[in-house]
Amino acid sequence: MPLRLDPVDDRIVRLLRKDGRMSNARLAEAVGLSQSACLRRLRLLEKSGVIRGYTALIDLPADEEPTVVIVQITLERQTEEVLNRFEMAVRRCPEVRECYLMTGLSDYLLRVETEDAAAYERVHKEVLSRMPGVARIQSSFAIRTVIRNRQPV
């Protein structure tokens, strides 16, 4: 059963989304708790899976930016078995950075990152097109990044 966030937990999560390296002392002060109470809540948020991890957001020089491809996948059928088999396969593809089950014309939307167009062609031919249940793949290459890693308001 997922942990229900009270207003203090919600504030902890929001602050950490903006600054994952915030010290416990600063976090406790910002949410109005003692350091020990704040640390207890933080550990519970981590243990329950609300906070799954911490990461560094990296800005690469323009010449080192990966090629980003937005891929729409349509499956042959939308049965639970077909969806599960596809999702298990897509999790094994390291080039797929994000995957969403969608409503609308396609079943899944993927954000794929590769070194260049030739590398994406290999992923398309050798990986995506061989995934279980795939009927159609539509790929769109990103020209440039306009907004990245926007934090929620």
Coordinates of all heavy atoms in Angstrom, one line a residue, residues 27-123:
L27 N 17.1 21.0 5.5 CA 15.7 20.5 5.1 C 14.8 20.5 6.4 O 13.7 21.0 6.3 CB 15.9 19.0 4.6 CG 14.7 18.3 4.2 CD1 14.0 19.0 3.0 CD2 15.0 16.9 3.8
A28 N 15.3 20.1 7.5 CA 14.6 20.2 8.8 C 14.1 21.6 9.1 O 12.9 21.8 9.4 CB 15.4 19.6 9.9
E29 N 15.0 22.5 8.9 CA 14.6 23.9 9.2 C 13.6 24.4 8.2 O 12.6 25.1 8.6 CB 15.9 24.8 9.1 CG 15.6 26.3 9.4 CD 16.9 27.1 9.2 OE1 18.0 26.6 9.3 OE2 16.7 28.4 9.1
A30 N 13.7 24.0 7.0 CA 12.7 24.5 5.9 C 11.3 23.9 6.1 O 10.3 24.6 5.8 CB 13.2 24.1 4.6
V31 N 11.2 22.7 6.7 CA 9.9 22.1 6.9 C 9.4 22.2 8.4 O 8.3 21.8 8.7 CB 9.9 20.6 6.5 CG1 10.2 20.5 5.0 CG2 10.8 19.8 7.3
G32 N 10.2 22.8 9.2 CA 9.8 23.1 10.6 C 9.8 21.9 11.5 O 9.0 21.7 12.4
L33 N 10.8 21.0 11.3 CA 11.0 19.8 12.2 C 12.3 19.8 12.8 O 13.3 20.5 12.4 CB 10.9 18.5 11.3 CG 9.5 18.2 10.7 CD1 9.7 16.9 9.8 CD2 8.5 17.9 11.8
S34 N 12.5 19.0 13.9 CA 13.8 18.7 14.4 C 14.6 17.9 13.4 O 14.0 17.3 12.5 CB 13.7 18.0 15.7 OG 13.3 16.6 15.5
Q35 N 15.9 17.9 13.5 CA 16.7 17.2 12.5 C 16.4 15.7 12.6 O 16.3 15.0 11.6 CB 18.2 17.4 12.8 CG 18.6 18.9 12.3 CD 20.1 19.1 12.5 OE1 20.9 18.2 12.4 NE2 20.4 20.4 12.8
S36 N 16.3 15.2 13.8 CA 16.0 13.7 13.9 C 14.6 13.3 13.4 O 14.5 12.3 12.7 CB 16.1 13.3 15.4 OG 15.2 14.0 16.2
A37 N 13.6 14.2 13.6 CA 12.3 13.9 13.1 C 12.3 14.0 11.5 O 11.7 13.2 10.9 CB 11.3 14.9 13.6
C38 N 13.0 14.9 11.0 CA 13.1 15.1 9.6 C 13.8 13.9 8.9 O 13.4 13.3 7.9 CB 13.9 16.4 9.2 SG 13.9 16.7 7.5
L39 N 14.9 13.4 9.6 CA 15.7 12.3 9.1 C 14.8 11.0 9.1 O 14.8 10.2 8.2 CB 16.9 12.1 9.8 CG 17.9 11.1 9.3 CD1 18.3 11.4 7.9 CD2 19.1 11.0 10.2
R40 N 14.0 10.9 10.2 CA 13.1 9.7 10.3 C 12.1 9.7 9.1 O 11.9 8.7 8.5 CB 12.3 9.8 11.6 CG 12.7 8.7 12.6 CD 11.8 8.6 13.8 NE 11.3 9.8 14.3 CZ 11.9 10.6 15.2 NH1 13.1 10.3 15.6 NH2 11.3 11.7 15.6
R41 N 11.5 10.9 8.8 CA 10.5 11.0 7.7 C 11.2 10.7 6.4 O 10.7 10.0 5.5 CB 9.9 12.4 7.7 CG 8.8 12.5 8.7 CD 8.2 13.9 8.6 NE 7.2 14.1 9.6 CZ 5.9 14.2 9.2 NH1 5.5 14.1 8.0 NH2 5.0 14.4 10.1
L42 N 12.4 11.3 6.2 CA 13.2 11.1 5.0 C 13.4 9.6 4.8 O 13.2 9.0 3.7 CB 14.5 11.9 5.0 CG 15.3 11.8 3.8 CD1 14.6 12.2 2.5 CD2 16.6 12.6 4.0
R43 N 13.9 8.9 5.8 CA 14.2 7.4 5.7 C 12.9 6.6 5.3 O 12.9 5.7 4.6 CB 14.8 6.9 6.9 CG 16.2 7.5 7.3 CD 17.2 7.1 6.2 NE 18.5 7.7 6.5 CZ 19.1 8.6 5.7 NH1 18.6 8.9 4.6 NH2 20.3 9.1 6.0
L44 N 11.8 7.0 5.9 CA 10.5 6.4 5.6 C 10.1 6.6 4.2 O 9.6 5.7 3.5 CB 9.4 6.9 6.6 CG 8.0 6.2 6.4 CD1 8.1 4.7 6.6 CD2 7.0 6.8 7.4
L45 N 10.3 7.8 3.7 CA 10.0 8.1 2.3 C 10.9 7.3 1.4 O 10.4 6.8 0.3 CB 10.2 9.6 2.0 CG 9.2 10.6 2.6 CD1 9.6 12.0 2.6 CD2 7.8 10.4 2.0
E46 N 12.1 7.1 1.7 CA 13.0 6.3 0.9 C 12.6 4.8 1.0 O 12.6 4.1 0.0 CB 14.5 6.5 1.4 CG 15.0 7.8 1.1 CD 16.4 8.1 1.8 OE1 16.8 7.4 2.7 OE2 17.0 9.1 1.4
K47 N 12.4 4.3 2.2 CA 12.0 2.9 2.4 C 10.7 2.5 1.7 O 10.6 1.4 1.2 CB 11.9 2.6 3.9 CG 11.7 1.1 4.2 CD 11.7 0.9 5.7 CE 11.5 -0.6 6.0 NZ 11.4 -0.9 7.4
S48 N 9.8 3.4 1.7 CA 8.5 3.2 1.1 C 8.5 3.3 -0.4 O 7.6 2.9 -1.1 CB 7.4 4.1 1.7 OG 7.7 5.4 1.2
G49 N 9.6 3.8 -1.0 CA 9.7 4.0 -2.4 C 9.2 5.3 -3.0 O 9.2 5.5 -4.2
V50 N 8.7 6.2 -2.1 CA 8.3 7.5 -2.6 C 9.5 8.2 -3.2 O 9.5 8.7 -4.3 CB 7.7 8.3 -1.5 CG1 7.5 9.8 -1.9 CG2 6.4 7.7 -1.0
I51 N 10.7 8.1 -2.4 CA 11.9 8.6 -3.0 C 12.7 7.4 -3.4 O 13.1 6.5 -2.6 CB 12.7 9.4 -1.9 CG1 12.0 10.7 -1.5 CG2 14.1 9.7 -2.4 CD1 12.6 11.4 -0.4
R52 N 12.9 7.2 -4.7 CA 13.5 6.0 -5.3 C 15.0 6.2 -5.4 O 15.7 5.2 -5.6 CB 12.9 5.7 -6.6 CG 11.5 5.3 -6.6 CD 11.0 4.9 -7.9 NE 11.6 5.6 -9.0 CZ 10.9 6.2 -10.0 NH1 9.6 6.1 -10.0 NH2 11.5 6.9 -10.9
G53 N 15.5 7.4 -5.4 CA 17.0 7.6 -5.5 C 17.3 9.0 -5.7 O 16.4 9.9 -5.8
Y54 N 18.6 9.3 -5.9 CA 19.1 10.6 -6.1 C 20.0 10.6 -7.3 O 20.6 9.5 -7.6 CB 19.9 11.1 -4.9 CG 19.0 11.1 -3.6 CD1 18.9 10.0 -2.8 CD2 18.3 12.3 -3.3 CE1 18.1 10.0 -1.7 CE2 17.6 12.3 -2.1 CZ 17.5 11.1 -1.3 OH 16.7 11.2 -0.2
T55 N 20.0 11.6 -8.1 CA 20.8 11.6 -9.3 C 21.4 13.0 -9.6 O 21.0 14.0 -9.0 CB 19.9 11.2 -10.5 OG1 20.7 11.0 -11.6 CG2 18.9 12.2 -10.8
A56 N 22.4 13.0 -10.4 CA 23.0 14.3 -10.8 C 22.5 14.6 -12.2 O 22.5 13.8 -13.1 CB 24.5 14.2 -10.8
L57 N 22.1 15.8 -12.5 CA 21.7 16.3 -13.8 C 22.9 16.9 -14.4 O 23.4 17.9 -13.9 CB 20.5 17.3 -13.6 CG 19.3 16.8 -12.9 CD1 18.2 17.8 -12.7 CD2 18.7 15.6 -13.6
I58 N 23.2 16.4 -15.6 CA 24.5 16.8 -16.3 C 24.1 17.6 -17.5 O 23.3 17.2 -18.3 CB 25.3 15.6 -16.7 CG1 25.5 14.7 -15.5 CG2 26.6 16.0 -17.3 CD1 26.2 15.2 -14.3
D59 N 24.8 18.8 -17.7 CA 24.7 19.5 -19.0 C 26.0 19.2 -19.7 O 27.1 19.5 -19.3 CB 24.6 21.0 -18.7 CG 23.2 21.5 -18.5 OD1 22.3 20.8 -19.0 OD2 23.0 22.5 -17.8
L60 N 25.8 18.6 -20.9 CA 27.0 18.3 -21.7 C 27.2 19.4 -22.7 O 26.3 20.1 -23.1 CB 26.7 17.0 -22.5 CG 26.5 15.7 -21.6 CD1 26.1 14.6 -22.5 CD2 27.8 15.4 -20.9
P61 N 28.5 19.5 -23.2 CA 28.7 20.5 -24.3 C 27.9 20.0 -25.5 O 27.6 18.9 -25.7 CB 30.2 20.3 -24.6 CG 30.8 19.6 -23.4 CD 29.7 18.8 -22.7
A62 N 27.5 21.0 -26.3 CA 26.6 20.7 -27.4 C 27.1 19.6 -28.3 O 26.3 18.8 -28.8 CB 26.4 22.0 -28.3
D63 N 28.4 19.5 -28.5 CA 28.9 18.5 -29.4 C 28.9 17.1 -28.8 O 29.2 16.1 -29.5 CB 30.4 18.8 -29.9 CG 31.4 19.0 -28.8 OD1 30.9 19.3 -27.6 OD2 32.6 18.8 -29.0
E64 N 28.6 17.0 -27.5 CA 28.5 15.7 -26.8 C 27.1 15.3 -26.5 O 26.9 14.2 -25.9 CB 29.4 15.7 -25.5 CG 30.8 15.8 -25.7 CD 31.6 15.8 -24.4 OE1 31.2 15.2 -23.5 OE2 32.7 16.5 -24.4
E65 N 26.1 16.1 -26.8 CA 24.7 15.8 -26.5 C 24.3 14.6 -27.3 O 24.7 14.4 -28.5 CB 23.8 17.0 -27.0 CG 23.8 18.2 -26.0 CD 23.1 17.9 -24.7 OE1 22.0 17.2 -24.8 OE2 23.5 18.4 -23.7
P66 N 23.5 13.7 -26.7 CA 23.1 12.5 -27.4 C 22.0 12.9 -28.4 O 21.4 14.0 -28.3 CB 22.5 11.7 -26.3 CG 22.1 12.6 -25.2 CD 23.1 13.8 -25.3
T67 N 21.8 12.0 -29.3 CA 20.7 12.2 -30.3 C 19.4 11.7 -29.5 O 19.4 10.5 -29.0 CB 20.9 11.3 -31.5 OG1 22.1 11.9 -32.2 CG2 19.7 11.4 -32.5
V68 N 18.4 12.5 -29.5 CA 17.2 12.1 -28.8 C 16.1 11.8 -29.8 O 15.9 12.6 -30.7 CB 16.7 13.3 -27.8 CG1 15.3 12.9 -27.2 CG2 17.7 13.6 -26.8
V69 N 15.5 10.7 -29.6 CA 14.4 10.2 -30.6 C 13.2 9.9 -29.7 O 13.3 9.2 -28.8 CB 14.9 9.0 -31.4 CG1 13.8 8.6 -32.4 CG2 16.3 9.2 -32.0
I70 N 12.1 10.5 -30.1 CA 10.8 10.2 -29.5 C 10.1 9.2 -30.4 O 10.0 9.4 -31.6 CB 9.9 11.5 -29.4 CG1 10.6 12.6 -28.7 CG2 8.5 11.1 -28.8 CD1 11.0 12.3 -27.3
V71 N 9.8 8.0 -29.8 CA 9.3 6.9 -30.6 C 7.9 6.5 -30.1 O 7.7 6.3 -28.9 CB 10.3 5.7 -30.4 CG1 9.8 4.5 -31.2 CG2 11.7 6.1 -30.7
Q72 N 7.0 6.4 -31.0 CA 5.7 5.9 -30.8 C 5.6 4.5 -31.2 O 5.9 4.1 -32.3 CB 4.7 6.8 -31.5 CG 4.6 8.2 -31.0 CD 3.6 9.0 -31.8 OE1 2.5 8.7 -31.9 NE2 4.1 10.1 -32.4
I73 N 5.1 3.6 -30.3 CA 5.0 2.2 -30.6 C 3.6 1.8 -30.5 O 2.8 2.1 -29.6 CB 5.8 1.4 -29.5 CG1 7.3 1.7 -29.4 CG2 5.5 -0.1 -29.7 CD1 8.1 1.1 -30.5
T74 N 3.1 1.1 -31.6 CA 1.8 0.5 -31.6 C 1.9 -1.0 -31.6 O 2.7 -1.5 -32.3 CB 1.0 1.0 -32.9 OG1 1.0 2.4 -32.9 CG2 -0.4 0.4 -32.9
L75 N 1.2 -1.6 -30.7 CA 1.2 -3.0 -30.6 C 0.2 -3.7 -31.4 O -0.8 -3.1 -31.8 CB 1.1 -3.5 -29.1 CG 2.1 -2.9 -28.1 CD1 1.8 -3.4 -26.7 CD2 3.5 -3.3 -28.5
E76 N 0.4 -5.0 -31.7 CA -0.6 -5.8 -32.5 C -1.9 -5.9 -31.7 O -3.0 -5.8 -32.3 CB -0.1 -7.2 -32.7 CG 1.2 -7.2 -33.6 CD 1.9 -8.5 -33.6 OE1 1.6 -9.4 -32.7 OE2 2.7 -8.7 -34.5
R77 N -1.8 -6.1 -30.4 CA -3.0 -6.2 -29.5 C -2.7 -5.5 -28.2 O -1.5 -5.4 -27.8 CB -3.4 -7.7 -29.3 CG -3.8 -8.4 -30.5 CD -4.4 -9.8 -30.2 NE -3.5 -10.6 -29.3 CZ -2.6 -11.4 -29.7 NH1 -2.3 -11.5 -31.0 NH2 -1.9 -12.1 -28.9
Q78 N -3.7 -5.2 -27.4 CA -3.5 -4.5 -26.2 C -3.9 -5.4 -25.0 O -4.5 -5.0 -24.0 CB -4.3 -3.2 -26.1 CG -3.7 -2.1 -27.0 CD -4.1 -2.3 -28.4 OE1 -5.1 -2.8 -28.8 NE2 -3.2 -1.9 -29.3
T79 N -3.7 -6.7 -25.1 CA -4.0 -7.6 -24.0 C -3.0 -7.4 -22.9 O -1.8 -7.0 -23.1 CB -4.0 -9.1 -24.4 OG1 -2.7 -9.4 -24.8 CG2 -5.0 -9.3 -25.6
E80 N -3.3 -7.8 -21.7 CA -2.4 -7.7 -20.6 C -1.1 -8.5 -20.8 O 0.0 -8.0 -20.5 CB -3.1 -8.2 -19.3 CG -2.2 -8.0 -18.0 CD -2.9 -8.3 -16.8 OE1 -4.1 -8.7 -16.8 OE2 -2.3 -8.3 -15.7
E81 N -1.2 -9.7 -21.4 CA 0.0 -10.4 -21.7 C 0.9 -9.7 -22.7 O 2.1 -9.7 -22.5 CB -0.4 -11.8 -22.3 CG 0.8 -12.7 -22.7 CD 0.5 -13.9 -23.4 OE1 -0.7 -14.3 -23.5 OE2 1.4 -14.5 -23.9
V82 N 0.4 -9.2 -23.8 CA 1.2 -8.5 -24.8 C 1.8 -7.2 -24.2 O 3.0 -6.9 -24.4 CB 0.3 -8.1 -26.0 CG1 1.1 -7.2 -27.0 CG2 -0.1 -9.4 -26.7
L83 N 1.0 -6.5 -23.4 CA 1.6 -5.3 -22.7 C 2.7 -5.6 -21.8 O 3.8 -5.0 -21.8 CB 0.5 -4.5 -22.0 CG -0.7 -3.9 -22.8 CD1 -1.8 -3.4 -21.8 CD2 -0.2 -2.9 -23.7
N84 N 2.5 -6.7 -21.0 CA 3.6 -7.1 -20.0 C 4.8 -7.6 -20.7 O 5.9 -7.2 -20.3 CB 3.0 -8.2 -19.1 CG 2.0 -7.7 -18.1 OD1 2.0 -6.5 -17.8 ND2 1.2 -8.6 -17.6
R85 N 4.7 -8.3 -21.8 CA 5.9 -8.8 -22.5 C 6.6 -7.7 -23.2 O 7.9 -7.6 -23.1 CB 5.4 -9.8 -23.6 CG 5.0 -11.2 -23.0 CD 4.5 -12.2 -24.0 NE 5.5 -12.3 -25.1 CZ 5.2 -12.4 -26.4 NH1 3.9 -12.4 -26.8 NH2 6.1 -12.6 -27.3
F86 N 5.9 -6.7 -23.7 CA 6.6 -5.5 -24.3 C 7.3 -4.7 -23.2 O 8.5 -4.4 -23.4 CB 5.6 -4.6 -25.0 CG 6.2 -3.3 -25.5 CD1 6.9 -3.3 -26.7 CD2 6.1 -2.2 -24.8 CE1 7.6 -2.2 -27.1 CE2 6.8 -1.0 -25.2 CZ 7.5 -1.0 -26.4
E87 N 6.6 -4.5 -22.1 CA 7.3 -3.7 -21.0 C 8.5 -4.4 -20.4 O 9.5 -3.7 -20.1 CB 6.2 -3.4 -19.9 CG 5.2 -2.4 -20.4 CD 4.1 -2.2 -19.4 OE1 4.2 -2.6 -18.2 OE2 3.0 -1.6 -19.8
M88 N 8.5 -5.7 -20.3 CA 9.7 -6.4 -19.9 C 10.8 -6.3 -20.8 O 12.0 -6.0 -20.5 CB 9.3 -7.9 -19.6 CG 8.5 -8.2 -18.4 SD 8.0 -9.9 -18.1 CE 9.4 -10.8 -18.8
A89 N 10.5 -6.3 -22.1 CA 11.5 -6.2 -23.2 C 12.1 -4.8 -23.2 O 13.3 -4.6 -23.3 CB 11.0 -6.6 -24.5
V90 N 11.2 -3.8 -23.1 CA 11.7 -2.4 -23.2 C 12.6 -2.0 -22.0 O 13.5 -1.2 -22.1 CB 10.5 -1.4 -23.4 CG1 9.8 -1.1 -22.1 CG2 11.0 -0.1 -24.1
R91 N 12.3 -2.6 -20.9 CA 13.2 -2.3 -19.7 C 14.6 -2.8 -19.9 O 15.5 -2.3 -19.2 CB 12.6 -3.0 -18.4 CG 11.4 -2.3 -17.9 CD 10.9 -3.0 -16.6 NE 9.7 -2.3 -16.1 CZ 8.5 -2.8 -16.2 NH1 8.3 -3.9 -16.8 NH2 7.5 -2.1 -15.8
R92 N 14.8 -3.8 -20.8 CA 16.2 -4.3 -21.0 C 16.9 -3.5 -22.0 O 18.1 -3.8 -22.3 CB 16.1 -5.8 -21.5 CG 15.6 -6.7 -20.4 CD 15.7 -8.2 -20.8 NE 15.0 -8.5 -21.9 CZ 13.7 -9.1 -21.9 NH1 13.2 -9.3 -20.7 NH2 13.1 -9.4 -23.0
C93 N 16.4 -2.5 -22.6 CA 17.0 -1.7 -23.6 C 17.6 -0.4 -23.0 O 16.8 0.5 -22.6 CB 16.0 -1.3 -24.7 SG 16.8 -0.3 -26.1
P94 N 18.9 -0.3 -22.8 CA 19.5 0.8 -22.1 C 19.3 2.2 -22.8 O 19.4 3.2 -22.2 CB 21.0 0.5 -21.9 CG 21.2 -0.6 -23.0 CD 19.9 -1.3 -23.2
E95 N 19.1 2.1 -24.1 CA 18.9 3.4 -24.8 C 17.6 4.0 -24.6 O 17.4 5.2 -24.8 CB 19.1 3.1 -26.4 CG 20.5 2.8 -26.8 CD 20.8 1.3 -26.7 OE1 19.9 0.5 -26.3 OE2 21.9 0.9 -27.0
V96 N 16.6 3.2 -24.1 CA 15.3 3.8 -23.8 C 15.4 4.4 -22.4 O 15.6 3.7 -21.4 CB 14.2 2.7 -23.8 CG1 12.9 3.3 -23.3 CG2 14.1 2.1 -25.2
R97 N 15.3 5.7 -22.4 CA 15.4 6.5 -21.1 C 14.1 6.6 -20.4 O 14.1 6.7 -19.2 CB 16.0 7.9 -21.4 CG 17.3 7.9 -22.1 CD 18.4 7.2 -21.3 NE 19.7 7.4 -21.9 CZ 20.8 6.7 -21.7 NH1 20.7 5.7 -20.9 NH2 21.8 7.0 -22.4
E98 N 13.0 6.7 -21.2 CA 11.7 6.8 -20.6 C 10.7 6.0 -21.4 O 10.9 6.0 -22.7 CB 11.2 8.3 -20.5 CG 12.1 9.2 -19.6 CD 11.7 10.6 -19.6 OE1 10.5 10.9 -19.3 OE2 12.5 11.5 -19.9
C99 N 9.7 5.5 -20.8 CA 8.7 4.8 -21.5 C 7.3 5.0 -20.8 O 7.2 4.9 -19.6 CB 9.0 3.3 -21.5 SG 7.7 2.2 -22.3
Y100 N 6.3 5.4 -21.6 CA 5.0 5.7 -21.1 C 3.9 4.9 -21.8 O 3.9 4.8 -23.1 CB 4.7 7.2 -21.3 CG 5.6 8.1 -20.6 CD1 6.7 8.6 -21.3 CD2 5.5 8.4 -19.2 CE1 7.6 9.5 -20.7 CE2 6.4 9.3 -18.6 CZ 7.5 9.8 -19.3 OH 8.4 10.6 -18.7
L101 N 3.0 4.2 -21.1 CA 1.8 3.6 -21.7 C 0.9 4.8 -21.9 O 0.6 5.6 -21.1 CB 1.2 2.6 -20.7 CG -0.1 2.0 -21.1 CD1 0.1 1.2 -22.4 CD2 -0.6 1.1 -20.0
M102 N 0.4 4.8 -23.2 CA -0.4 6.0 -23.6 C -1.8 5.7 -24.0 O -2.2 4.5 -24.2 CB 0.3 6.6 -24.9 CG 1.7 7.0 -24.7 SD 2.0 8.3 -23.6 CE 1.3 9.7 -24.4
T103 N -2.6 6.8 -24.0 CA -3.9 6.7 -24.7 C -3.8 7.3 -26.0 O -2.7 7.9 -26.3 CB -5.0 7.5 -23.9 OG1 -4.6 8.9 -23.9 CG2 -5.2 7.0 -22.5
G104 N -4.7 7.2 -26.9 CA -4.6 7.8 -28.2 C -4.2 6.8 -29.3 O -4.4 5.6 -29.2
L105 N -3.5 7.3 -30.3 CA -3.1 6.6 -31.5 C -2.1 5.5 -31.3 O -2.1 4.5 -31.9 CB -2.7 7.5 -32.6 CG -3.8 8.5 -33.1 CD1 -3.3 9.4 -34.2 CD2 -5.0 7.7 -33.6
S106 N -1.1 5.8 -30.4 CA 0.0 4.8 -30.1 C -0.2 4.2 -28.7 O -0.8 4.8 -27.9 CB 1.3 5.4 -30.3 OG 1.5 6.5 -29.5
D107 N 0.4 3.1 -28.5 CA 0.3 2.4 -27.2 C 1.3 2.9 -26.2 O 1.1 3.0 -25.1 CB 0.3 0.9 -27.4 CG -0.8 0.4 -28.2 OD1 -2.0 0.7 -27.8 OD2 -0.6 -0.4 -29.1
Y108 N 2.6 3.1 -26.8 CA 3.7 3.6 -25.9 C 4.4 4.7 -26.5 O 4.5 4.8 -27.8 CB 4.7 2.4 -25.7 CG 4.1 1.3 -24.8 CD1 3.5 0.2 -25.3 CD2 4.3 1.4 -23.4 CE1 3.0 -0.7 -24.5 CE2 3.8 0.4 -22.6 CZ 3.1 -0.6 -23.1 OH 2.6 -1.6 -22.3
L109 N 4.9 5.6 -25.7 CA 5.8 6.7 -26.1 C 7.1 6.5 -25.4 O 7.2 6.3 -24.2 CB 5.2 8.0 -25.7 CG 6.0 9.2 -26.2 CD1 5.8 9.4 -27.7 CD2 5.5 10.5 -25.5
L110 N 8.2 6.4 -26.2 CA 9.5 6.2 -25.6 C 10.4 7.4 -25.9 O 10.3 8.1 -27.0 CB 10.2 5.0 -26.3 CG 9.8 3.6 -25.9 CD1 8.4 3.3 -26.0 CD2 10.6 2.6 -26.7
R111 N 11.3 7.7 -25.0 CA 12.4 8.7 -25.3 C 13.7 7.9 -25.3 O 14.1 7.2 -24.3 CB 12.5 9.8 -24.2 CG 13.5 10.8 -24.5 CD 13.6 12.0 -23.5 NE 14.0 11.6 -22.2 CZ 15.2 11.4 -21.8 NH1 16.2 11.6 -22.6 NH2 15.5 11.1 -20.6
V112 N 14.3 7.9 -26.5 CA 15.5 7.1 -26.7 C 16.6 8.0 -26.9 O 16.5 9.0 -27.6 CB 15.3 6.2 -28.0 CG1 16.5 5.4 -28.3 CG2 14.1 5.2 -27.8
E113 N 17.8 7.7 -26.3 CA 19.0 8.4 -26.5 C 20.1 7.5 -27.1 O 20.3 6.4 -26.6 CB 19.5 9.0 -25.2 CG 18.7 10.1 -24.7 CD 19.3 10.7 -23.4 OE1 20.4 10.3 -23.0 OE2 18.6 11.6 -22.8
T114 N 20.7 8.0 -28.2 CA 21.8 7.3 -28.8 C 22.9 8.3 -29.2 O 22.7 9.5 -29.1 CB 21.3 6.5 -30.1 OG1 20.8 7.5 -31.0 CG2 20.3 5.5 -29.8
E115 N 24.0 7.7 -29.6 CA 25.2 8.6 -30.0 C 24.9 9.4 -31.2 O 25.2 10.6 -31.3 CB 26.4 7.7 -30.2 CG 27.7 8.4 -30.5 CD 28.8 7.4 -30.7 OE1 29.0 6.6 -29.8 OE2 29.5 7.5 -31.7
D116 N 24.2 8.8 -32.2 CA 23.9 9.5 -33.5 C 22.8 8.7 -34.2 O 22.3 7.7 -33.7 CB 25.1 9.6 -34.3 CG 25.8 8.3 -34.6 OD1 25.2 7.2 -34.5 OD2 27.1 8.3 -34.8
A117 N 22.4 9.2 -35.4 CA 21.3 8.6 -36.1 C 21.7 7.2 -36.5 O 20.8 6.3 -36.5 CB 21.0 9.4 -37.4
A118 N 22.9 6.9 -36.8 CA 23.3 5.5 -37.2 C 23.1 4.5 -36.0 O 22.6 3.4 -36.2 CB 24.7 5.5 -37.7
A119 N 23.4 5.0 -34.8 CA 23.2 4.2 -33.6 C 21.7 4.0 -33.4 O 21.3 2.9 -33.0 CB 23.9 4.8 -32.4
Y120 N 20.9 5.0 -33.6 CA 19.5 4.8 -33.5 C 19.0 3.8 -34.5 O 18.1 2.9 -34.2 CB 18.7 6.1 -33.6 CG 17.2 5.8 -33.5 CD1 16.6 5.4 -32.3 CD2 16.4 5.8 -34.7 CE1 15.3 5.0 -32.3 CE2 15.1 5.4 -34.6 CZ 14.5 5.0 -33.4 OH 13.2 4.6 -33.4
E121 N 19.5 3.8 -35.7 CA 19.1 2.9 -36.8 C 19.3 1.5 -36.3 O 18.5 0.6 -36.5 CB 19.8 3.1 -38.1 CG 19.4 2.2 -39.2 CD 20.2 2.4 -40.5 OE1 21.2 3.1 -40.5 OE2 19.7 1.8 -41.5
R122 N 20.4 1.2 -35.6 CA 20.8 -0.1 -35.1 C 19.7 -0.5 -34.0 O 19.2 -1.6 -34.0 CB 22.2 -0.1 -34.5 CG 22.5 -1.5 -34.0 CD 23.8 -1.5 -33.1 NE 23.7 -0.5 -32.0 CZ 23.1 -0.8 -30.8 NH1 22.4 -1.9 -30.7 NH2 23.1 0.1 -29.9
V123 N 19.4 0.4 -33.1 CA 18.5 0.1 -32.0 C 17.1 -0.2 -32.6 O 16.4 -1.1 -32.2 CB 18.4 1.3 -31.0 CG1 17.2 1.2 -30.1 CG2 19.7 1.5 -30.3

